[in-house]
Amino acid sequence: MEALKQELKSKIIEVLNLEDIAIADINDDDALFGDGLGLDSIDALELIVMLDKDYGIKLVDPKEGKTIFKSIETMAAYISENRVK
Amino acid sequence: MKKTYINGLGCISAQKTFDTIFLEEAELNEDDIILPLKAPVYKDFIPPVAIRRMAKGVKNGIVASTLALRVAHLETVDAIITGTGMGCIEDSEKFLKAILDNDEQFLTPTSFIQSTHNTVGGQIALGLQCKAYNLTYVNGSVSFESALFDAKMKIEEGEASSILVGGIDETSDYTMSLFKLAGFIKEENQGPYSVLEATTNGVVFGEGATFFALENEAKENTIAEILDLEILNKLDVSEVEDKIISFLALNNFELKDVDAVVLGYNGDVDSDSYYKNLSNTTFVNTPQVYYKHLSGEYDTASAFGLWVGSKIIQTQNIPDIVKLNALDKPAYKTILLYNQRNGNDHSFTLISSC
């Protein structure tokens, strides 16, 4: 799980082009949207595509996203349970 | 009918055209076939949250437009009009590559959103919270002139009192590789690539963003007035002189009234034949200026040319690095700009001091 969290932080920085942020700057329980990392709705779409492309997870219910993308912790937990690749 | 004044300008190019007066730090690069951009510190102009999604063309456009507004002491405008030949080609490439690499699956939104030709105009409007008229012209080498033409008409007709108008183009790896294959860009390792002594086809390519803040009234900070502008799709070399004479006559000028002529020499031997006759006969007694050896050629390089012309009027000086001949005038009041590419997309622009 720890390796997956590190992998997710690295991917988020790369995919969302967060130039000024390092892996160490993101805590596992930091909010990804809003006051935390400050991601927005376009970033959410990028993360949905990333889940599909890298882990084979298709989010069919958009409401799920709010819980899944709450933090690195929640993302890692959801991916561990649902990944197909 | 209202007059059109250039009250502000901003330019990002292959030269240090920001934080300088007028090309005093310009460097001639005859070794590269694609001139690298002298980029500003983008974070000084664009919030970090917004900058991370922007390709360089968008960033350059925002910085150049911001500089133009600052010089004009304007916070917003009545219209934003841009011209671009290739648009945001960098993100277009990313998006198309993602389609191919991922077998038409997993298409991400960012590069798609940012890949359109009007991205720059849109992002400037978002930054200024400007919900006014916003249009982008994509007309090859008269893309910028088309935007300028629209802006001039809107000011003349009283539909706008202040307009931000600019030309933006960016280079990108894959498109440049295609241009090399097509012979649009000069062959590698054949330098030095001197624009004036070229004997081959193809050009040294470049990129940049140049913006002008236009207003319908002259102010203390007014740089120049745009007197007239004409765009012609096709001309024969032998027709150019007559067209210039009739264009000047429409504005009650003769050839002798032109204090300097800014020509779009780009180092392509065929394309430059359009300028050679003007240099050797028509304007042989007129100070002549060229600029694409500094900016490189691109669809909106003529916006850089207008920046050069405006700066000559503002500073009353022609830097040695852009002089085509050794002639000088005691004052530079009226300047004619002529640009074309491969015999197409001819534009004549006439500017004057106020």
Side-chain angles (χ1 to χ4, degrees):
Chain A
M1 183 69 101
E2 200 52 43
L4 178 59
K5 287 178 188 170
Q6 294 303 307
E7 181 183 298
L8 279 174
K9 290 176 187 176
S10 170
K11 282 186 177 182
I12 285 173
I13 288 169
E14 186 196 334
V15 169
L16 305 183
N17 201 18
L18 303 173
E19 288 172 347
D20 294 333
I21 293 175
I23 290 176
D25 297 333
I26 309 174
N27 296 314
D28 293 352
D29 56 354
D30 279 351
L32 296 180
F33 292 82
D35 292 338
L37 214 51
L39 304 186
D40 60 23
S41 58
I42 297 173
D43 296 317
L45 280 171
E46 294 279 1
L47 293 180
I48 288 168
V49 174
M50 186 184 84
L51 282 194
D52 191 359
K53 186 179 166 187
D54 295 348
Y55 304 103
I57 300 170
K58 284 188 191 298
L59 286 187
V60 284
D61 182 5
K63 287 177 190 165
E64 278 185 307
K66 203 169 180 180
T67 337
I68 298 164
F69 297 132
K70 193 176 172 191
S71 65
I72 293 291
E73 189 85 52
T74 56
M75 272 186 84
Y78 185 83
I79 291 169
S80 297
E81 284 173 23
N82 296 280
R83 69 189 299 171
V84 293
K85 61 178 178 181
Chain B
M1 202 161 69
K2 300 272 188 184
K3 292 181 176 180
T4 307
Y5 298 97
I6 298 172
N7 286 352
L9 37 69
C11 182
I12 303 301
S13 69
Q15 303 298 326
K16 193 159 185 287
T17 40
F18 53 93
D19 295 339
T20 53
I21 297 168
F22 185 21
L23 297 175
E24 65 273 22
E25 293 181 32
E27 292 169 352
L28 184 59
N29 176 351
E30 292 187 333
D31 301 324
D32 293 320
I33 52 173
I34 299 169
L35 299 182
L37 192 90
K38 286 259 191 323
V41 180
Y42 295 115
K43 285 173 188 168
D44 291 348
F45 296 86
I46 311 168
V49 177
I51 208 169
R52 65 191 170 94
R53 293 199 182 107
M54 293 176 180
K56 58 186 170 178
V58 181
K59 290 189 278 194
N60 293 333
I62 290 175
V63 174
S65 61
T66 303
L67 292 172
L69 288 176
R70 277 184 194 170
V71 174
H73 307 301
L74 287 172
E75 289 187 0
T76 191
V77 285
D78 297 332
I80 297 167
I81 310 176
T82 60
T84 177
M86 297 196 297
C88 296
I89 195 77
E90 201 174 32
D91 272 322
S92 297
E93 278 185 14
K94 268 190 208 167
F95 180 66
L96 292 171
K97 188 172 184 303
I99 290 176
L100 292 171
D101 289 350
N102 299 315
D103 197 23
E104 300 184 17
Q105 303 293 309
F106 316 121
L107 300 180
T108 57
T110 304
S111 55
F112 173 66
I113 295 167
Q114 302 271 354
S115 69
T116 59
H117 284 74
N118 58 358
T119 301
V120 178
Q123 288 290 342
I124 292 169
L126 282 170
L128 296 176
Q129 289 294 297
C130 174
K131 298 183 176 107
Y133 182 89
N134 194 309
L135 212 76
T136 296
Y137 287 87
V138 182
N139 290 341
S141 291
V142 287
S143 297
F144 169 68
E145 285 77 3
S146 303
L148 187 61
F149 201 85
D150 187 5
K152 193 169 185 312
M153 285 196 295
K154 285 194 94 61
I155 284 180
E156 283 176 353
E157 297 301 319
E159 291 180 18
S161 58
S162 61
I163 297 179
L164 201 47
V165 62
I168 318 103
D169 272 297
E170 65 182 8
T171 57
S172 59
D173 292 343
Y174 188 66
T175 302
M176 291 304 107
S177 72
L178 294 179
F179 282 7
K180 285 178 195 170
L181 282 174
F184 298 165
I185 296 178
K186 290 208 182 283
E187 283 183 31
E188 272 171 303
N189 305 316
Q190 303 285 318
Y193 302 99
S194 166
V195 162
L196 296 181
E197 287 160 27
T199 53
T200 57
N201 288 114
V203 299
V204 170
F205 224 78
E207 61 184 333
T210 310
F211 271 80
F212 300 86
L214 306 181
E215 287 186 273
N216 62 359
E217 58 180 347
K219 294 178 174 174
E220 268 184 26
N221 52 316
T222 292
I223 296 158
E225 180 187 347
I226 298 177
L227 295 177
D228 202 1
L229 170 67
E230 187 170 351
I231 297 169
L232 290 156
N233 181 238
K234 270 191 181 297
L235 276 179
D236 190 76
V237 175
S238 61
E239 297 174 303
V240 176
E241 185 182 272
D242 285 346
K243 278 289 170 193
I244 287 176
I245 291 169
S246 59
F247 173 68
L248 290 172
L250 277 175
N251 294 281
N252 301 315
F253 285 111
E254 297 176 30
L255 289 172
K256 65 178 173 53
D257 298 321
V258 175
D259 297 315
V261 61
V262 180
L263 300 169
Y265 279 98
N266 67 6
D268 180 296
V269 69
D270 289 335
S271 192
D272 284 351
S273 63
Y274 278 80
Y275 305 113
K276 289 270 164 73
N277 184 47
L278 299 178
S279 286
N280 297 333
T281 58
T282 317
F283 291 109
V284 71
N285 295 316
T286 306
Q288 298 174 19
V289 173
Y290 71 129
Y291 56 91
K292 288 181 186 169
H293 58 309
L294 300 181
S295 67
E297 175 66 291
Y298 51 99
D299 285 316
T300 49
S302 53
F304 183 91
L306 182 58
W307 180 86
V308 169
S310 304
K311 281 286 184 181
I312 290 171
I313 286 179
Q314 185 184 36
T315 61
Q316 288 296 301
N317 171 54
I318 301 179
D320 288 342
I321 199 164
V322 293
K323 279 184 176 176
L324 257 171
N325 57 16
L327 297 174
D328 281 315
K329 285 260 176 129
Y332 296 100
K333 184 169 171 20
T334 306
I335 293 183
L336 174 73
L337 295 100
Y338 169 50
N339 187 62
Q340 55 80 39
R341 192 155 165 203
N342 300 324
N344 300 319
D345 294 342
H346 301 258
S347 63
F348 305 106
T349 309
L350 194 61
I351 60 174
S352 78
S353 58
C354 300

